[in-house]
Amino acid sequence: MAVNLQKGQKISLEKEAGTSLSIVVMGLGWDAVKKKGFFGFGGSSAIDLDASCLMFDEDKNMLDVVWFRQLASRDGSIRHTGDNLTGEGEGDDEQIIVNLNQVPANVKSLIFTVNSFTGQNFSQVENAFCRLFDQTTGKEIARYDLSIQGSHSAQIMAKVYRHNGEWKMHAIGENGAGRTFNDLMPQILPYV
């Protein structure tokens, strides 16, 4: 059973998965907000949330980034499944797939962010979540609810990092503002 993470909580990915992990997937999901109209018929408003994964070394240098403008890391260990512009549909709207065994040894942490590229704040986003699951078994390892309403337009979701030879996850949940991960860099660096 998946751990429902709280802001600031840390877990061992292998302990939660119950096995050695090789490929994990960070899924981001959300729903388009229903417009209120005459007799409740208003359609829905598209919201473009974007998931990103930033790769850092132990000196806090960003080595690479995977996002909608670069769908794979240069070393091939991380890839993004593509940009969802609306949030329509069930389940994950965007996924970032991480082959932990292929992540170069000099990469010490992976920071996952979400930004509202279209500029809406999270008070306009419904049912937003991120989750981490084992691609091999399909078992959900951890889930983090992002649907806390507020006037922020971005969030530093989580960090997956190496510690004493194993991969761990830290649910960060730090709110911010900005259309891309670049806008969050001053807030990201203290967590690296």
Side-chain angles (χ1 to χ4, degrees), residues 145-157:
D145 182 8
L146 300 173
S147 62
I148 298 168
Q149 304 302 304
S151 59
H152 56 284
S153 60
Q155 189 170 89
I156 304 167
M157 296 188 301

Side-chain angles (χ1 to χ4, degrees), residues 26-63:
M26 177 67 77
L28 168 66
W30 72 96
D31 291 333
V33 175
K34 307 293 183 228
K35 292 181 184 174
K36 305 268 190 276
F38 192 62
F39 295 115
F41 301 107
S44 62
S45 175
I47 293 178
D48 180 11
L49 297 185
D50 291 317
S52 303
C53 177
L54 293 74
M55 304 168 74
F56 289 92
D57 66 15
E58 70 180 39
D59 294 324
K60 298 187 176 191
N61 297 309
M62 188 171 77
L63 303 174

Side-chain angles (χ1 to χ4, degrees), residues 131-175:
R131 67 190 190 109
L132 197 70
F133 65 93
D134 181 345
Q135 187 183 52
T136 304
T137 65
K139 179 183 177 188
E140 190 170 276
I141 301 163
R143 178 176 284 263
Y144 186 50
D145 182 8
L146 300 173
S147 62
I148 298 168
Q149 304 302 304
S151 59
H152 56 284
S153 60
Q155 189 170 89
I156 304 167
M157 296 188 301
K159 173 171 98 169
V160 172
Y161 61 101
R162 296 180 208 257
H163 181 72
N164 294 332
E166 80 176 292
W167 287 100
K168 296 186 175 258
M169 180 178 176
H170 175 197
I172 297 172
E174 179 78 22
N175 296 337

Side-chain angles (χ1 to χ4, degrees), residues 13 16 40 52 86 90 120 170 188:
L13 294 181
E16 294 303 327
S52 303
T86 65
E90 297 296 315
Q120 294 97 333
H170 175 197
I188 290 171

Side-chain angles (χ1 to χ4, degrees), residues 84-153:
N84 181 315
L85 303 175
T86 65
E88 292 292 335
E90 297 296 315
D92 298 341
D93 294 304
E94 293 189 9
Q95 291 183 335
I96 295 176
I97 302 164
V98 181
N99 187 327
L100 295 172
N101 296 332
Q102 291 181 2
V103 173
N106 65 326
V107 175
K108 299 301 179 194
S109 60
L110 309 171
I111 302 286
F112 294 88
T113 64
V114 58
N115 295 76
S116 175
F117 191 74
T118 45
Q120 294 97 333
N121 65 54
F122 277 17
S123 69
Q124 299 169 286
V125 180
E126 294 180 354
N127 304 317
F129 66 88
C130 73
R131 67 190 190 109
L132 197 70
F133 65 93
D134 181 345
Q135 187 183 52
T136 304
T137 65
K139 179 183 177 188
E140 190 170 276
I141 301 163
R143 178 176 284 263
Y144 186 50
D145 182 8
L146 300 173
S147 62
I148 298 168
Q149 304 302 304
S151 59
H152 56 284
S153 60

